[in-house]
Amino acid sequence: MASVRFTVTPTKAEDLPGLSDTSPDISSRSGARVRFGSRESVNRSDPLSEVSGGGTAGGGGDTPEHSSVDQGDGNSKISSVYINNTHGVDDDDFYDRNLALFEEEMDTRPKVSSLLNRLANYTNLTQGAKEHEEAESIGEKKKSPQMGTFMGVYLPCLQNIFGVILFLRLTWVVGNAGVLQGLCIVFVCCCCTMLTAISMSAIATNGVVPAGGAYFMISRSLGPEFGGAVGLCFYLGTTFAGAMYILGAIEILLMYIAPKAAIFESKHPEGEGAAMLNNMRVYGSICLLLMSLLVFVGVKYVNKLASIFLACVIVSIVSIYVGALVSAFKPPQFPVCMLGNRTISGHEIDDNKSPALVNETTSIWKLFCDGPELNASCDKYFNSNNFSEIAGIPGLASGVISENLWSAYLSKGDVVEKGSLESSVDAHPASTHQPYVFADITTSFTLLVGIFFPSVTGIMAGSNRSGDLKDAQRSIPIGTILAILTTSIVYLTSVVLFGACIEGVVLRDKFGDSVKGNLVVGTLAWPSPWVIVIGSFFSTCGAGLQSLTGAPRLLQAIAKDNIIPFLRVFGHGKANGEPTWALLLTALIAELGILIASLDLVAPILTMFFLMCYLFVNLACGLQTLLRTPNWRPRFSYYHWTLSFLGMTICLALMFISSWYYAIVAMVIAGMIYKYIEYHGAEKEWGDGIRGLSLSAARYALLRLEEGPPHTKNWRPQVLVLLKLDEDAHVKSPRLLTFASQLKAGKGLTIVGTVVSGNFLQSYGEALAAEQTLKHLMDKERVKGFCQCIVAQKPREGISHMIQSSGLGGMKPNTVVMGWPHAWRQSEDPQSWKTFINTVRVTTAAHLALLVPKNISLFPSNSEPCTEGYIDVWWIVHDGGMLMLLPFLLRQHKVWRKCGMRIFTVAQMEDNSIQMKKDLATFLYHLRIEAEVEVVEMHDSDISAYTYERTLMMEQRSQMLRQMRLSKSDREREAQLVKDRNSMLRIQMTWTKEKTSQYRATHSGCSTPEGFRDMLSIRPDHSNVRRMHTAVKLNEVIVNKSHDARLVLLNMPGPPRNPDGDENYMEFLEVLTEGLERVLLVRGGGSEVITIYS
């Protein structure tokens, strides 16, 4: 935890005779040293001096119970009822008068104003963000992120999504599947990525996502087992994508740019395919080596080239659209030679001679006949059919789309045919020695899905760059979804344009043999096919470099998390952090893909891995939404669990549609990694059927929970509700349970407890009856949980035992809800409020959070939804973020759903309130909490006579009840006296000398007992005056701002260290909350419960 330090500025108090200042002992604590101070000076006014009696330190007005004066070193030292005598400090160490109520706990609960700037700027890291703390502790000054949505997310996503498949295979997919099924393939794949992007946007905006992208999001959402399994799947997918891009680049090079560069050539047509694969392997390996060296030398060069490669992609796509429009008026000349309805390879056609118009034999004749003579024996199909020439690109206005609407799947070795042309049907199957265009693989809808899907991947590019973005929570959803919409429109329109402009036989011709070896999509481009050829070559090279850059970093992030021990070595790299070993492994795995050598065989492999990753992104979002964890507060709100599960279903369906055996292999790999990470898991105990399984699962879950304190993200209120029963065993404040049910919204652990006074042996029956009463109330309020009834001699001991012993293992309560002792002033027995304060101390000692609803009878029931209004949060000191989290949880319930949220914090004179407001708004933005923000300035002011007199009355009453043990009638009389004086003071807040003298003259003859007159002459302890001043001042601003709020949440000051001041503490709380209808006093448990991180 970062160390936070505040300074103490001494002030002088010589101008207030008789009143010495006190200061609490703020001890240094490991982990967080917080000293807090103020530079204000106190101006003691004359009326105050008059009222105080003008005595000197150690004068007759002091009583042994209130102060003891120790003369030493020339300074007066005084011990307050709030502070143990051993902790007395000098007068000059004077704390902030406006927050004196909170001063004893400033070491653990610092002022909000003092750490707000650090919270807003990430530097005050919350528990559970150790990895980020370590990263920042290096102390490197990093440039502030400057990238916006367009440059930081939209363009990188475009570059990653558009790739080799668009240029090399989309025309072929349309030719085989037809326009309708082609649109269906593209639409289903785009729907899959769009739904995944919606889920990813929700996860990415649920806090700060550092480097690691999809792996970080899934591992932090579903745990290390799923994170490791899916992270490795994503890594393998990215690595094989690199191999696919390199194979695409080599295919473009050897097929369309430099066909003569082939090393291996076959003399027989049957061996051409094998020779081509060997060429791909050799050139692919060389290309992979060069790219790996470039990545090793420096990523900065790759990033500089990225914009050039993106420009190539955009220029190529624009040229396709322009070419399609031009083809409507002037179709490009790419004639295709046909024999009957069979397509002839353009490589065999002489440009100067048309086989249909000459009388002598040609080279084609020799391929169909035994010799060059006119009377030679020829192929039967050749004899019975004529040659014809058709336009390869009929153009947009030709109406060729009507022929291309329907599918024309082929088996391996089939000739590419045009169905609308006439041909004799009595021919035998074509021979591979003849110059036809043959299908190299058997096609089907499922195969085409697997081949096309990689062209829609790459949607994670934005989330991977979240650290470079100005506003990641806004840019990632907008940029990613716009990029997917753009690419989806391009793909869908391309399918229609290809079907409307290009002849079907050309579309089904994968390598463009019918158009003399031109790239098929290039034939449509304007002004030249070379625009597409060169553009696609550079774009595929760039995409391959990006994959070889990103994959090693992903592996390094997994290795550094140390969840897969055998990968630990890949977490190391060069001195500058470059992942050298991870790059080496990535190159070796990519080499395996290149040795496969066929783009059509590599594409389904990476399809599986990407689909597996997308499936788990959807699962993570859906589960988080259904579980309604308190930390699940995405800033992106257009998501729903049904969309996530629909996306998950589509991913699963696409996996089995494209290749069921690859899908099984990918799942087995992910399952093996999962089990490997989790091999320290539960012993299997299969008991008696379902119950045995439930017991085993519960035991396993409890043991897993026991392993350590919960991560901040997983913190949720596990509530212990303390209820009090009356003499007839009826619950006194059933609304407490109603409030707890609204807070829990049906989730998490709820324990309802009560204490029965007496001996367990005699009171066992009463305990059972009390337990049944609690169960009945829980059923009525629809609270799912457990009830606990403890029998004890004293209620305070019973409550202490209950707080210590409730729960089991990791399912222990972390929050206590109890009622306010509303009639504590009128009660003859002080045990009610003493038990209350003792419970506050016990919860603090046990590091539990405490919620005290005041005026609980005015809180709404579950059948009374609040009309529109506000839940106001008064954030005075920071105690773990409970005040931020509670309104969010309450607003999940239908009763509070329509309420807005306002957050107020207090600024002192030395604070910059404008900057505080900006910092608070930034902090809430990072927390994904929507609220209005206001900073209330509390200027230094003199301690008013009203405050002074209110303190005086409090101490007088306390003295009388404690020392004189008044009878009931005397108490009532004394209470009436205090009430009269109090009402008098409310009329006149500020007193002058004259009014003070006049008041004393008129009230000097009050008919009070002799002892009362003595009590009225005492002077109040100054520490109590300051605390009363805090209570009065805060109450004034809270009532002024929040008088119409539906609920006010407020930091609850801690009880005094010295139990002698307990009654005064109750009075301070009463004054603090006066005039407010519904108040929830909140004390944090000492640990952070809310975080900005995902």
Side-chain angles (χ1 to χ4, degrees):
M1 178 72 85
S3 172
V4 190
R5 187 187 293 264
F6 308 89
T7 4
V8 175
T9 307
T11 56
K12 295 189 177 181
E14 291 91 320
D15 57 336
L16 184 60
L19 290 178
S20 296
D21 193 14
T22 58
S23 174
D25 168 53
I26 305 295
S27 56
S28 293
R29 299 194 181 184
S30 62
R33 284 182 56 212
V34 185
R35 286 170 49 216
F36 134 79
S38 164
R39 53 184 189 182
E40 64 176 325
S41 296
V42 184
N43 177 23
R44 277 78 176 181
S45 61
D46 286 337
L48 185 64
S49 300
E50 284 293 318
V51 175
S52 70
T56 57
D62 286 337
T63 59
E65 283 73 25
H66 275 272
S67 63
S68 61
V69 179
D70 175 22
Q71 299 294 338
D73 299 330
N75 291 325
S76 298
K77 291 189 178 180
I78 184 167
S79 74
S80 156
V81 293
Y82 250 74
I83 300 155
N84 295 331
N85 292 348
T86 53
H87 296 311
V89 289
D90 291 348
D91 261 354
D92 289 346
D93 290 339
F94 180 61
Y95 271 82
D96 192 327
R97 181 175 46 187
N98 285 334
L99 296 180
L101 259 181
F102 301 91
E103 68 188 19
E104 285 196 351
E105 296 182 305
M106 284 293 180
D107 52 348
T108 55
R109 291 174 166 84
K111 276 196 311 182
V112 170
S113 59
S114 61
L115 78 163
L116 198 49
N117 184 261
R118 295 169 62 81
L119 283 172
N121 292 293
Y122 294 82
T123 50
N124 189 51
L125 293 165
T126 53
Q127 175 225 347
K130 288 182 181 176
E131 59 267 37
H132 315 302
E133 190 169 6
E134 288 165 5
E136 293 190 9
S137 65
I138 299 169
E140 296 178 356
K141 289 186 179 177
K142 297 182 180 178
K143 292 182 181 177
S144 58
Q146 292 297 328
M147 298 184 84
T149 304
F150 187 74
M151 293 298 295
V153 181
Y154 181 72
L155 290 183
C157 281
L158 279 189
Q159 184 177 6
N160 279 265
I161 295 172
F162 285 135
V164 63
I165 302 294
L166 171 63
F167 302 115
L168 292 185
R169 293 292 183 269
L170 188 56
T171 52
W172 178 69
V173 168
V174 175
N176 283 278
V179 172
L180 295 180
Q181 289 189 28
L183 287 173
C184 182
I185 290 171
V186 173
F187 182 74
V188 170
C189 293
C190 290
C191 277
C192 177
T193 52
M194 177 59 80
L195 291 171
T196 305
I198 290 171
S199 297
M200 185 197 74
S201 298
I203 297 173
T205 58
N206 187 48
V208 182
V209 179
Y215 161 70
F216 182 91
M217 290 189 289
I218 294 169
S219 62
R220 270 52 174 183
S221 296
L222 293 180
E225 295 91 353
F226 278 113
V230 180
L232 277 182
C233 282
F234 191 51
Y235 164 73
L236 291 172
T238 309
T239 305
F240 275 105
M244 184 188 75
Y245 290 130
I246 291 172
L247 288 174
I250 300 304
E251 184 178 308
I252 293 168
L253 177 70
L254 294 180
M255 284 282 189
Y256 311 113
I257 297 178
K260 294 181 181 177
I263 299 172
F264 301 96
E265 292 182 355
S266 174
K267 295 179 181 178
H268 304 287
E270 293 89 348
E272 285 181 0
M276 184 63 189
L277 293 180
N278 288 331
N279 285 321
M280 300 277 279
R281 290 182 182 111
V282 172
Y283 279 101
S285 301
I286 294 170
C287 186
L288 174 64
L289 181 63
L290 293 174
M291 286 186 176
S292 301
L293 286 173
L294 179 58
V295 172
F296 177 77
V297 168
V299 180
K300 59 183 179 180
Y301 301 113
V302 177
N303 293 333
K304 284 179 181 176
L305 291 170
S307 54
I308 299 172
F309 295 142
L310 178 60
C312 292
V313 174
I314 294 172
V315 168
S316 301
I317 291 171
V318 169
S319 74
I320 294 172
Y321 279 95
V322 174
L325 293 174
V326 169
S327 73
F329 311 103
K330 186 182 177 184
Q333 297 301 310
F334 285 99
V336 177
C337 185
M338 306 293 294
L339 176 60
N341 64 356
R342 293 181 179 178
T343 312
I344 300 293
S345 173
H347 296 293
E348 310 296 338
I349 306 290
D350 187 351
D351 284 337
N352 299 320
K353 293 181 181 180
S354 176
L357 302 176
V358 295
N359 292 322
E360 69 271 17
T361 60
T362 62
S363 55
I364 290 184
W365 178 283
K366 296 173 187 175
L367 295 172
F368 286 102
C369 302
D370 294 341
E373 302 83 10
L374 286 171
N375 59 353
S377 175
C378 294
D379 178 70
K380 193 173 182 181
Y381 188 84
F382 177 75
N383 285 331
S384 57
N385 289 279
N386 293 321
F387 279 99
S388 61
E389 185 181 271
I390 60 172
I393 313 293
L396 195 60
S398 64
V400 73
I401 191 170
S402 59
E403 295 180 19
N404 293 333
L405 278 178
W406 313 109
S407 61
Y409 295 115
L410 300 172
S411 298
K412 185 176 181 180
D414 286 353
V415 178
V416 177
E417 298 178 344
K418 180 175 171 65
S420 60
L421 290 180
E422 292 182 4
S423 70
S424 62
V425 291
D426 56 347
H428 58 78
S431 166
T432 54
H433 293 280
Q434 295 166 344
Y436 295 125
V437 177
F438 293 96
D440 64 332
I441 60 171
T442 300
T443 54
S444 64
F445 181 84
T446 57
L447 175 85
L448 296 181
V449 169
I451 289 174
F452 175 76
F453 188 80
S455 65
V456 296
T457 60
I459 61 173
M460 302 287 183
S463 62
N464 292 344
R465 295 167 179 247
S466 60
D468 301 324
L469 301 172
K470 270 187 205 170
D471 186 355
Q473 296 188 355
R474 180 175 174 274
S475 296
I476 288 175
I478 295 174
T480 306
I481 290 172
L482 280 180
I484 291 174
L485 285 174
T486 305
T487 53
S488 299
I489 290 168
V490 168
Y491 285 138
L492 290 168
T493 52
S494 296
V495 169
V496 175
L497 286 178
F498 292 159
C501 297
I502 304 176
E503 177 59 53
V505 291
V506 180
L507 287 174
R508 288 187 287 282
D509 180 6
K510 186 189 288 185
F511 301 112
D513 292 328
S514 60
V515 285
K516 294 185 169 47
N518 277 298
L519 181 61
V520 174
V521 71
T523 59
L524 187 60
W526 182 89
S528 164
W530 284 101
V531 175
I532 294 283
V533 172
I534 301 299
S536 59
F537 177 75
F538 281 115
S539 73
T540 47
C541 287
L545 277 173
Q546 291 286 349
S547 297
L548 289 177
T549 306
R553 277 161 181 71
L554 182 58
L555 181 63
Q556 188 180 41
I558 298 170
K560 281 186 174 178
D561 270 355
N562 203 19
I563 56 173
I564 304 176
F566 70 81
L567 291 180
R568 200 172 300 156
V569 65
F570 299 108
H572 307 295
K574 291 196 286 188
N576 61 354
E578 292 295 320
T580 311
W581 292 106
L583 176 62
L584 182 62
L585 180 66
T586 303
L588 291 174
I589 296 173
E591 179 63 21
L592 294 177
I594 284 169
L595 292 178
I596 295 173
S598 170
L599 189 72
D600 303 320
L601 295 178
V602 173
I605 295 175
L606 66 104
T607 293
M608 286 307 126
F609 289 126
F610 276 121
L611 279 171
M612 182 78 75
C613 176
Y614 295 167
L615 185 148
F616 280 103
V617 169
N618 283 302
L619 177 65
C621 178
L623 279 183
Q624 295 265 47
T625 308
L626 286 176
L627 291 175
R628 297 170 72 180
T629 51
N631 190 61
W632 182 246
R633 303 182 303 277
R635 186 159 292 282
F636 178 80
S637 56
Y638 304 101
Y639 68 95
H640 195 268
W641 65 268
T642 52
L643 293 178
S644 300
F645 281 103
L646 178 61
M648 194 175 74
T649 307
I650 293 176
C651 288
L652 197 61
L654 286 176
M655 286 175 71
F656 282 93
I657 284 172
S658 54
S659 176
W660 64 268
Y661 43 90
Y662 277 166
I664 292 173
V665 169
M667 287 180 168
V668 167
I669 290 173
M672 288 169 63
I673 298 167
Y674 179 95
K675 294 311 290 182
Y676 175 77
I677 297 172
E678 192 236 1
Y679 72 99
H680 288 302
E683 302 168 8
K684 298 293 179 288
E685 272 180 27
W686 300 108
D688 54 342
I690 298 297
R691 182 166 178 79
L693 181 60
S694 300
L695 285 169
S696 176
R699 171 182 166 277
Y700 171 51
L702 280 170
L703 289 172
R704 286 289 299 272
L705 282 174
E706 192 82 49
E707 287 175 5
H711 193 284
T712 308
K713 291 189 307 181
N714 296 328
W715 192 95
R716 62 184 69 203
Q718 312 283 17
V719 177
L720 171 62
V721 185
L722 299 178
L723 296 179
K724 190 173 182 181
L725 303 182
D726 59 18
E727 295 79 6
D728 300 325
H730 293 137
V731 177
K732 282 191 171 180
S733 300
R735 284 287 168 92
L736 270 178
L737 196 54
T738 308
F739 173 74
S741 71
Q742 293 166 3
L743 180 66
K744 297 299 295 174
K747 303 288 180 184
L749 175 71
T750 304
I751 297 176
V752 182
T754 189
V755 177
V756 174
S757 298
N759 184 290
F760 180 70
L761 297 177
Q762 281 83 40
S763 305
Y764 180 65
E766 288 181 42
L768 286 179
E771 200 167 311
Q772 287 303 314
T773 302
L774 295 182
K775 284 182 179 177
H776 177 70
L777 183 61
M778 289 171 72
D779 291 340
K780 183 181 173 185
E781 295 292 340
R782 296 182 180 177
V783 174
K784 295 187 183 302
F786 309 95
C787 56
Q788 187 171 5
C789 186
I790 284 183
V791 181
Q793 295 290 348
K794 295 181 179 178
R796 68 168 69 183
E797 289 178 4
I799 291 174
S800 177
H801 295 157
M802 188 179 296
I803 288 172
Q804 293 175 62
S805 61
S806 289
L808 180 64
M811 290 292 282
K812 284 183 176 294
N814 54 28
T815 305
V816 175
V817 178
M818 68 171 174
W820 174 262
H822 57 277
W824 67 274
R825 281 174 174 156
Q826 289 77 32
S827 174
E828 295 178 20
D829 183 10
Q831 289 307 314
S832 64
W833 58 263
K834 285 188 176 178
T835 302
F836 173 83
I837 295 178
N838 185 68
T839 307
V840 176
R841 288 196 173 101
V842 170
T843 55
T844 305
H847 298 291
L848 302 180
L850 177 65
L851 308 179
V852 181
K854 197 163 178 279
N855 303 330
I856 187 67
S857 59
L858 300 177
F859 277 58
S861 68
N862 286 333
S863 58
E864 305 170 4
C866 280
T867 53
E868 292 181 3
Y870 287 99
I871 298 176
D872 284 0
V873 175
W874 283 85
W875 193 23
I876 312 297
V877 293
H878 180 67
D879 58 356
M882 279 287 286
L883 284 169
M884 306 291 118
L885 189 60
L886 290 173
F888 171 79
L889 295 175
L890 283 172
R891 289 169 66 200
Q892 304 301 304
H893 195 275
K894 63 180 180 181
V895 169
W896 303 96
R897 192 164 292 152
K898 291 184 179 178
C899 292
M901 183 174 165
R902 293 188 298 198
I903 295 185
F904 299 88
T905 191
V906 174
Q908 306 298 320
M909 265 187 69
E910 67 271 20
D911 297 322
N912 182 342
S913 58
I914 297 172
Q915 186 60 42
M916 277 180 67
K917 186 169 182 177
K918 286 182 183 175
D919 291 340
L920 183 54
T922 305
F923 180 53
L924 290 175
Y925 182 81
H926 291 318
L927 288 176
R928 295 93 61 205
I929 288 177
E930 300 286 341
E932 295 178 19
V933 173
E934 187 168 343
V935 176
V936 178
E937 295 183 352
M938 285 183 67
H939 296 297
D940 290 348
S941 61
D942 299 336
I943 295 176
S944 67
Y946 167 71
T947 300
Y948 192 85
E949 291 286 343
R950 185 78 186 251
T951 314
L952 186 64
M953 287 185 292
M954 174 186 75
E955 294 196 357
Q956 287 168 352
R957 182 179 184 280
S958 176
Q959 283 282 80
M960 286 187 284
L961 293 178
R962 188 166 53 241
Q963 290 187 354
M964 300 181 65
R965 299 183 181 179
L966 297 176
S967 65
K968 184 176 180 182
S969 59
D970 287 336
R971 286 189 195 181
E972 288 173 356
R973 188 190 303 171
E974 184 270 343
Q976 186 61 41
L977 171 66
V978 173
K979 185 177 178 184
D980 291 344
R981 297 187 64 182
N982 188 17
S983 59
M984 173 71 186
L985 283 166
R986 273 296 184 189
I987 296 167
Q988 180 61 46
M989 294 289 285
T990 308
W991 288 47
T992 60
K993 268 186 195 178
E994 294 75 15
K995 286 190 178 178
T996 307
S997 305
Q998 185 182 357
Y999 178 85
R1000 287 190 171 172
T1002 27
H1003 290 77
S1004 60
C1006 278
S1007 57
T1008 57
E1010 192 64 34
F1012 276 64
R1013 292 197 185 92
D1014 295 338
M1015 290 298 164
L1016 292 174
S1017 65
I1018 68 168
R1019 280 189 306 103
D1021 180 79
H1022 182 56
S1023 63
N1024 285 340
V1025 173
R1026 292 195 299 112
R1027 285 170 174 79
M1028 184 62 78
H1029 177 70
T1030 298
V1032 170
K1033 288 278 289 182
L1034 277 176
N1035 179 256
E1036 281 177 11
V1037 294
I1038 293 172
V1039 170
N1040 181 37
K1041 296 285 184 182
S1042 302
H1043 58 88
D1044 58 345
R1046 300 293 174 197
L1047 178 64
V1048 175
L1049 280 79
L1050 180 64
N1051 285 113
M1052 182 179 182
R1057 294 176 186 168
N1058 187 344
D1060 289 344
D1062 282 359
E1063 194 170 6
N1064 297 343
Y1065 171 69
M1066 294 297 294
E1067 188 67 35
F1068 293 142
L1069 293 183
E1070 283 283 8
V1071 173
L1072 187 62
T1073 56
E1074 259 180 5
L1076 297 172
E1077 189 179 32
R1078 299 179 187 133
V1079 185
L1080 181 64
L1081 295 169
V1082 180
R1083 277 181 68 74
S1087 60
E1088 294 291 340
V1089 302
I1090 197 166
T1091 176
I1092 62 174
Y1093 290 102
S1094 170

